[in-house]
Amino acid sequence: MEVENTFKQWKKQCLNKIDFSKKGSVDEDITNIVSVLNDSEKYFTTSSCSGRIIVIDGVSDCLDVQKQNCSWLFVTHQKCQKTDLVTALERSCGDVIFKFEPFILHVQCRQLGDAQLLHSVAVESGFRNSGITVGKKGKIIMAVRSTHCLEVPLSRKGQVLVSSDYIEFLVEVANQKMIENLRRIERFFECLQSAMHHEDLHCTSSEAVKEKSVYKRRRKRTQDSPVEACQSSNDATLSDEDNGLQNGMDLFT
Amino acid sequence: MEVENTFKQWKKQCLNKIDFSKKGSVDEDITNIVSVLNDSEKYFTTSSCSGRIIVIDGVSDCLDVQKQNCSWLFVTHQKCQKTDLVTALERSCGDVIFKFEPFILHVQCRQLGDAQLLHSVAVESGFRNSGITVGKKGKIIMAVRSTHCLEVPLSRKGQVLVSSDYIEFLVEVANQKMIENLRRIERFFECLQSAMHHEDLHCTSSEAVKEKSVYKRRRKRTQDSPVEACQSSNDATLSDEDNGLQNGMDLFT
């Protein structure tokens, strides 16, 4: 009961906070996913992005692209056009990097079984780098992630190192990835609804059986506990592959 | 006890298996990490790669780079040279993609606390996309992952779309990422040793205190259980940031 109350408090605090992201609101293509999760007593979202194509202007000789050393020349959560990239490059005098980043979502979960259910939905939808974090104070976070990306350096110290044809080609490749990303988001939403509906039915029927069992136990101690039936559905969909039993180079499929 | 025995059996089976990866052996730069983990009763590795620079030849119009549709033109787990890339491009007549992929490791863990310890080591070392999977049959896998990557399309249907200067620049960028990757691997190894040593000390001292406590309990029930002191060190190093409490666009730092 204490765990439940703590989770409810965390959820209330989080959902009441101001959205401090640069955009300030949930991305359109995932508002349905975010709503379904936040409407459930088992979950709440802590951060999200539907996926994006970005052009970053970095400081030269900066080993890593860290936000504090970079400015954002362009960003879209949909497909982009060649002119977007050309315009961004014209505005730069540093090291420009073009990136595609897929859907990412962090969800705090009430208990481990809830996180497992969500994890299996994520992996089934193509977000194969998803994983669970169990932090101090018992916070359980499921992160939806994927390796489906692009990262292409385009200029150095303001000098563009690629041709106009290459830029056109790159835009096409990035847009294909965005289309695939949006397809996977739709699949995630369908799988999520299905899994949560299935879970609710299971729990409802196990509640009903449990009531009967309680009645029976008063008369006769022969009925097994139905709770296990409900819990097993949380991790039923994970495969051996997802348990990391592949070796070496198969990891990157 | 049953869980312990099951874990020991899984470990024995896994470590006795033939390595079916293309390389057939553990990468040199991580043999120390793999050894330390496999020597511990709490862990065993199921797959690993120290990081690599690869050139893949894909089938044109293939939306995703799937292994079954691609051939590997070049791979190294160290830095590469311009000639490697040029030679690889000459051998292709499809869609060539140049990639840098960082260190990745899958470790099966005896219990959740062990996974949490390893997770904190991974995040502290810069592998911020690491996460835990809890699968069916109770398998707990901690995956060490990072977003530190490159993915650059270079040709289409055999036609190279970038200049020689760009190839040289790209090789330099990839090599910088490889240097950073190897630095993080070293850090991971140091953090791992430190965390495991600290964990052993804690458990040893809690065992010693426990013996004293048992003695005291026979006389007087006043001593609190020291087991909690040992367990708390497993998740002491995770920060709020790692619990996914950032919003929107801060995710990609």
Side-chain angles (χ1 to χ4, degrees):
Chain A
M1 180 58 90
E2 193 183 327
V3 169
E4 286 265 357
N5 286 342
T6 310
F7 180 79
K8 280 180 185 168
Q9 272 174 353
W10 276 333
K11 180 166 181 168
K12 192 176 169 186
Q13 274 172 1
C14 184
L15 296 183
N16 286 343
K17 271 194 314 194
I18 298 168
D19 184 340
F20 285 111
S21 65
K22 286 189 187 186
K23 190 157 166 279
S25 61
V26 175
D27 299 327
E28 195 181 314
D29 287 303
I30 54 173
T31 49
N32 52 359
I33 290 171
V34 169
S35 291
V36 162
L37 289 167
N38 287 333
D39 286 345
S40 162
E41 57 187 16
K42 301 175 190 177
Y43 305 107
F44 63 92
T45 60
T46 58
S47 50
S48 64
C49 177
S50 62
R52 57 194 184 188
I53 293 169
I54 54 177
V55 182
I56 295 171
D57 197 3
V59 171
S60 285
D61 303 324
C62 172
L63 280 183
D64 243 324
V65 176
Q66 298 296 335
K67 276 228 183 68
Q68 49 269 34
N69 293 333
C70 301
S71 58
W72 292 58
L73 298 172
F74 172 78
V75 58
T76 180
H77 298 280
Q78 299 298 322
K79 294 191 286 185
C80 66
Q81 299 180 357
K82 183 181 174 181
T83 47
D84 298 323
L85 201 42
V86 170
T87 308
L89 281 164
E90 283 167 359
R91 286 162 49 203
S92 160
C93 48
D95 297 357
V96 170
I97 298 177
F98 177 83
K99 296 178 82 167
F100 167 78
E101 291 166 343
F103 172 49
I104 187 166
L105 179 69
H106 283 67
V107 185
Q108 192 163 336
C109 309
R110 185 185 55 177
Q111 54 192 9
L112 193 57
D114 302 325
Q116 284 174 279
L117 180 78
L118 197 57
H119 182 270
S120 62
V121 166
V123 171
E124 205 178 313
S125 312
F127 300 104
R128 300 181 56 77
N129 266 22
S130 301
I132 299 167
T133 304
V134 183
K136 55 186 177 186
K137 303 178 192 172
K139 283 187 183 174
I140 302 170
I141 302 283
M142 218 299 288
V144 179
R145 298 195 202 99
S146 159
T147 52
H148 188 221
C149 69
L150 270 183
E151 180 164 333
V152 186
L154 294 178
S155 72
R156 190 174 207 182
K157 294 180 184 172
Q159 188 195 1
V160 178
L161 297 168
V162 295
S163 66
S164 174
D165 283 349
Y166 183 77
I167 290 171
E168 194 166 320
F169 167 63
L170 194 60
V171 161
E172 212 173 296
V173 172
N175 286 342
Q176 288 288 10
K177 287 193 183 269
M178 183 57 86
I179 290 168
E180 173 62 18
N181 176 62
L182 295 174
R183 193 192 68 75
R184 288 181 191 182
I185 286 173
E186 276 174 26
R187 187 170 171 191
F188 181 89
F189 182 58
E190 286 160 11
C191 288
L192 177 65
Q193 285 186 301
S194 169
M196 287 176 73
H197 178 66
H198 177 80
E199 182 71 5
D200 288 343
L201 283 179
H202 235 286
C203 286
T204 306
S205 66
S206 70
E207 283 292 322
V209 173
K210 210 169 152 185
E211 282 177 15
K212 284 190 193 172
S213 302
V214 167
Y215 176 77
K216 280 189 178 168
R217 280 201 295 272
R218 285 173 187 161
R219 302 287 170 121
K220 204 173 175 178
R221 287 183 181 269
T222 52
Q223 187 75 29
D224 291 328
S225 164
V227 175
E228 284 168 13
C230 188
Q231 281 176 345
S232 64
S233 64
N234 286 346
D235 56 6
T237 50
L238 285 173
S239 67
D240 277 346
E241 190 175 288
D242 301 324
N243 289 341
L245 292 180
Q246 292 165 313
N247 284 312
M249 294 189 180
D250 291 330
L251 281 172
F252 297 99
T253 304
Chain B
M1 180 58 90
E2 194 183 329
V3 169
E4 285 265 358
N5 286 340
T6 310
F7 180 78
K8 280 180 184 167
Q9 274 175 349
W10 278 331
K11 179 165 181 168
K12 193 174 167 187
Q13 275 171 1
C14 185
L15 296 183
N16 287 343
K17 271 196 309 194
I18 298 169
D19 184 340
F20 285 110
S21 66
K22 287 189 187 187
K23 191 156 165 280
S25 62
V26 175
D27 299 326
E28 196 181 312
D29 286 303
I30 54 173
T31 50
N32 51 358
I33 290 171
V34 170
S35 291
V36 162
L37 288 167
N38 287 333
D39 287 346
S40 162
E41 55 186 19
K42 301 176 192 178
Y43 305 107
F44 64 93
T45 60
T46 59
S47 50
S48 64
C49 177
S50 62
R52 59 194 182 188
I53 293 169
I54 55 176
V55 182
I56 296 172
D57 196 3
V59 172
S60 284
D61 302 327
C62 173
L63 279 183
D64 245 320
V65 176
Q66 297 295 335
K67 277 229 181 70
Q68 48 272 32
N69 293 335
C70 301
S71 60
W72 291 57
L73 298 173
F74 173 77
V75 58
T76 180
H77 297 281
Q78 299 297 324
K79 294 192 286 184
C80 67
Q81 298 180 0
K82 183 181 174 182
T83 47
D84 298 323
L85 200 41
V86 170
T87 308
L89 280 165
E90 283 167 359
R91 285 162 50 202
S92 160
C93 47
D95 298 355
V96 169
I97 298 177
F98 176 84
K99 295 178 83 169
F100 167 78
E101 290 166 342
F103 171 49
I104 186 167
L105 179 70
H106 283 67
V107 185
Q108 191 163 336
C109 309
R110 185 185 55 177
Q111 53 192 9
L112 192 58
D114 302 324
Q116 284 174 278
L117 180 77
L118 197 57
H119 183 271
S120 61
V121 166
V123 171
E124 204 178 313
S125 313
F127 300 103
R128 300 181 56 76
N129 265 24
S130 302
I132 299 167
T133 304
V134 184
K136 56 188 176 184
K137 302 177 192 172
K139 283 187 184 174
I140 301 169
I141 303 281
M142 217 300 288
V144 179
R145 296 195 203 100
S146 159
T147 52
H148 188 221
C149 69
L150 269 183
E151 181 164 332
V152 187
L154 294 179
S155 71
R156 189 174 208 183
K157 294 179 185 176
Q159 189 195 0
V160 178
L161 297 169
V162 294
S163 65
S164 174
D165 284 348
Y166 183 76
I167 290 171
E168 195 166 320
F169 166 62
L170 195 60
V171 160
E172 213 174 296
V173 172
N175 287 342
Q176 288 286 10
K177 288 192 183 268
M178 182 57 86
I179 289 168
E180 174 62 19
N181 176 62
L182 294 175
R183 192 192 68 77
R184 289 181 191 182
I185 286 173
E186 276 173 24
R187 186 169 174 190
F188 181 89
F189 182 58
E190 286 160 10
C191 288
L192 177 65
Q193 285 186 299
S194 169
M196 287 176 74
H197 178 66
H198 177 81
E199 182 69 4
D200 289 342
L201 282 179
H202 235 287
C203 285
T204 307
S205 67
S206 70
E207 284 292 322
V209 172
K210 213 168 149 187
E211 283 175 16
K212 284 192 193 172
S213 300
V214 168
Y215 176 77
K216 278 188 179 170
R217 280 201 295 271
R218 284 174 186 157
R219 303 284 171 120
K220 204 172 175 181
R221 285 184 182 269
T222 53
Q223 187 76 28
D224 290 327
S225 166
V227 175
E228 284 168 11
C230 187
Q231 282 175 344
S232 65
S233 64
N234 287 345
D235 56 4
T237 50
L238 285 173
S239 68
D240 277 342
E241 189 176 288
D242 302 322
N243 290 341
L245 292 179
Q246 293 166 311
N247 284 313
M249 294 191 178
D250 291 331
L251 280 173
F252 297 100
T253 301

